[in-house]
Amino acid sequence: MGEILLKNAWVIDPISGINGEMMDIAMDGGRIVEYVSDKADVIDAEGFLTLPGGIDSHTHTSGTKVNFGRYMSPEDMRAGRTPKKGAMHVTSGYSVPTTYGNSYKYSALGYTSLVEGAMAPLEARHTHEEFAFTPLQDSFANVLFDGNWGMLGAIEEGDIKRAAAIIAWTISAVKGFAVKLTNPGGTEAWGFGKNVSCINQTMPRFDITPTEIIRSAIEANELLHLPHSVHLHCNNLGTPGNYTCTLGTFDIVPDLNDTRQTLYATHVQFHSYGGSGWSDFCSKSEPIAQKVNMRPQIVIDMGQVMFGRTTTMTADGPMEFNLYRLHHDKWSNHDVELETGSGIIPVNYRKKNLVNSIMWAIGLELALLVENPWQCLLATDNPNGAPFVKYPEVIALLMSKKYRDAEFATVHQDTGKRVPLPAIDRELTWHDIAVMTRAGQARALGITGVGKGYLLPGAEADIAVYPIRVDDIDPAQQYEEVIKGFSQTEYTIKRGRVVSRRGDALVHGENTTFWVKPNVPSEYDMTHDERFKEHFERYYSIRMSNYPVQEEYLHRNYCIRTETDLSTTHD
Amino acid sequence: MKVTITLWDRDNPLIPVEAEMITPDAFFSGEEIIIAVGNRHMRLDGIADIHIEGEASSAAEVAIEIRGDSARFKRVGEMMTAGSITIEGDIGMHCGNFMSGGSIEILGSADGWLGREMKGGEIICHGDAGDYCGAGYRGGRKGMRGGSIEVVGSVGDFACEHIAGGEVIIRGNTGDYPCAEMKGGTVIILGDCSRVCANMSAGTCYVYGYADEMIPTFERIGCVDRDGLQLHHFRGDVANRGHGDLYVARYGYLS
Ligand SMILES: [Zn+2]
């Protein structure tokens, strides 16, 4: 982490307004600085494409659910084995690799920060243990609140501030980063063998609807001034005709924040389906994208599906049960006390399958039809839509109509009647891709303030140098070159050290877990709230005092403190 | 071409040897036969005398004979497509993995995973076989898909798990859960077994001995006569919407 000078870097840094400039980047102490002394190590980037380190704003790489995916699919473990090599440990697994496997492969793709999409609060320790052994990326955890009885009770009482206080206590107790709602109302209903049909159906046990949960969580999130917005997995994932539910959800989102979106809707591909059943299943990417274009308070990610084997895993228990009934293969189902649930099944997305072909098209359509790349980020909901190692192919598909047409010719022959993809000519630019894979994520997550997603002095020295000379290739024609170039960085630099070189991880450690602690006034501190304590001691299987994950339990970590609007004196 | 491999006595005969290159195909192609003794890679002639007689115009004309202590030699005959292997003593785990043709004859006993996921060819084991004979591997959806296995002695647990095709004859007894998750093929057990055919969806299994702890979710269809023996005919596993056929001479439920 001494001084480094990265020379001859051809930089695209959307947040700083740099779109293709030859630059030298100086680093010292893990940060980007104005200049370094002549003792600095010099790395020649040879005019290669240089971007801020990649950020995945929605992935599943760590935690109990991911780990269950590993041990219920030993055949997946056999699929991606690599031997010990230099600093690299032995790894195994393809769609759910070991933590080192995830970390090395993400690093080879230039990724330096990962957001675990769904952490069950009660099982936070396991997630943090895996973060610690994901050595080449900084980690952030979305905390599941969809079935949190404390929060749901406060919402039922109409007490948003209490809901906010419960979120604040829980999120800092489990060292989480953001509020995640997975099928709000439905995941909890699944504990009673039920689901909710859409946002206006009252859930069992609590006299509230998903609409009320989503709106209240959004208001609470903004009262706490959390860096990220509410991160939503909409109701009705994966069901034909669910696009109306998604549109309805987007309609209820207020615009409450000047610096970022008010709602992050994840893996929207899975929520953009038309039809009344599987026989007339079709793409509704157009109305969804139009809605996003009209509502700047919403950012989505693609949830792109790519063909091949993978493992689906989500807190959305009832959805996984439906998938299980379709595939009749292995299935795991899990309930997390007063908080959430989960389900896992392995799948194989096949080109011969019409529904799978349509799903593949929808993700691409969303990215191409949402006009502003800051509003549609690139992700596969790893590994649900596809393992993240497919990102280079997704990038190439977005940059080349020719590649899309070539792929389209190989999918199910009836796909053309069900999707608008063949008629879309748009080809994304290098700048668009830089936005959709790092800058957009940094802004949507609200982490530019901690130095993420850009390359000006003061930023964290997280940098990806890809062996691509932008002036020498035409991405619309040479898509193979684009795939190759994004598949393996020349250098991945993390906190001012070269951590990966041409696919090989070189060092370990120095990864940081970012977590959030809202500064809550004492009357809203749940640690001393008698009702909350009583509820906790009565219903949880562990004592409230044993619940928080101690800061010492995390390895290197950074606490983002926020000031809140909870104080009663403000009223 | 006749290949005689005479294994030397080893200082530590318990160290497993990965020997997936011992196949008629590899000897026919003339490639260097590399094995791993523990974690050390070496040439086969570093631990054995190899004597080759005659020529072969295809792998089918290669006959391999293994002499000496091969009880820890794993994956012998893996992926073989033709020819024959005769093992004079015992053989280690995974013998005949994925084989699609040719024959393997084991004069002694075999360890676990004999003929795992095999597609064709035949295996005869004159002694006993270990667990997972003719099964699929961990997490796999399909075990043996074709070919035949005959075990003259008894086999361990989970024999023919996930079997999807081919024919298996076990002349002795089986351990627990033979034919679990059976999807196809035919299995004949001449001795006794327990919890046979759990969760089967298709295929046919005969038990000429006593089937202990029968799975209760099988529907009893009636009686049939086979080889002069009265067999009870069951169909199931109903719990898995299965329509496999299970014939047992004598049976009992867990009491
Ligand atoms: Zn997800």
Side-chain angles (χ1 to χ4, degrees), chain A residues 235-282:
Chain A
N235 301 103
N236 266 328
L237 182 145
T239 51
N242 64 8
Y243 82 106
T244 53
C245 184
T246 310
L247 292 175
T249 306
F250 289 179
D251 275 332
I252 61 167
V253 178
D255 190 355
L256 299 179
N257 196 298
D258 300 334
T259 57
R260 56 150 169 78
Q261 78 287 352
T262 306
L263 182 79
Y264 180 106
T266 189
H267 43 67
V268 173
Q269 176 276 130
F270 290 109
H271 304 274
S272 304
Y273 300 158
S276 57
W278 297 112
S279 56
D280 58 349
F281 184 80
C282 62

Side-chain angles (χ1 to χ4, degrees), chain B residues 41-55:
Chain B
H41 289 263
M42 59 167 71
R43 286 159 52 119
L44 179 59
D45 61 13
I47 59 162
D49 291 322
I50 303 171
H51 181 74
I52 297 178
E53 258 177 82
E55 303 274 299

Side-chain angles (χ1 to χ4, degrees), chain A residues 281-302:
Chain A
F281 184 80
C282 62
S283 168
K284 286 290 178 186
S285 58
E286 285 169 314
I288 296 286
Q290 271 167 28
K291 181 68 76 181
V292 174
N293 289 337
M294 288 186 302
R295 294 182 79 77
Q297 64 267 45
I298 291 169
V299 165
I300 67 172
D301 74 55
M302 295 164 70

Side-chain angles (χ1 to χ4, degrees), chain B residues 100-113:
Chain B
S100 57
S103 65
I104 297 178
E105 186 170 11
I106 302 153
L107 302 183
S109 291
D111 206 337
W113 309 103

Side-chain angles (χ1 to χ4, degrees), chain A residues 39-65:
Chain A
K39 293 191 194 75
D41 289 335
V42 176
I43 297 171
D44 189 351
E46 300 174 53
F48 285 149
L49 175 63
T50 301
L51 305 176
I55 302 172
D56 199 331
S57 52
H58 190 105
T59 179
H60 301 277
T61 54
S62 302
T64 47
K65 175 158 41 64

Side-chain angles (χ1 to χ4, degrees), chain A residues 58-60 65 117-118 180 233 266-267 313-314 381-382 384:
Chain A
H58 190 105
T59 179
H60 301 277
K65 175 158 41 64
K180 171 80 186 294
H233 156 141
T266 189
H267 43 67
M313 48 179 66
T314 164
D381 189 19
N382 165 68
N384 287 296

Side-chain angles (χ1 to χ4, degrees), chain A residues 328-396:
Chain A
H328 199 61
D329 198 354
K330 301 186 243 199
W331 170 50
S332 142
N333 181 51
H334 185 53
D335 176 61
V336 187
E337 302 193 10
L338 306 187
E339 299 181 340
T340 181
S342 72
I344 306 166
I345 74 157
V347 297
N348 187 2
Y349 295 113
R350 293 174 305 127
K351 289 183 174 179
K352 276 191 275 182
N353 179 302
L354 177 58
V355 168
N356 293 168
S357 299
I358 295 168
M359 292 165 81
W360 168 82
I362 293 173
L364 299 173
E365 289 159 13
L366 289 170
L368 297 166
L369 294 172
V370 170
E371 285 156 15
N372 180 359
W374 297 88
Q375 276 186 276
C376 183
L377 308 178
L378 191 151
T380 59
D381 189 19
N382 165 68
N384 287 296
F388 64 85
V389 291
K390 299 274 192 184
Y391 285 1
E393 287 170 52
V394 179
I395 292 171

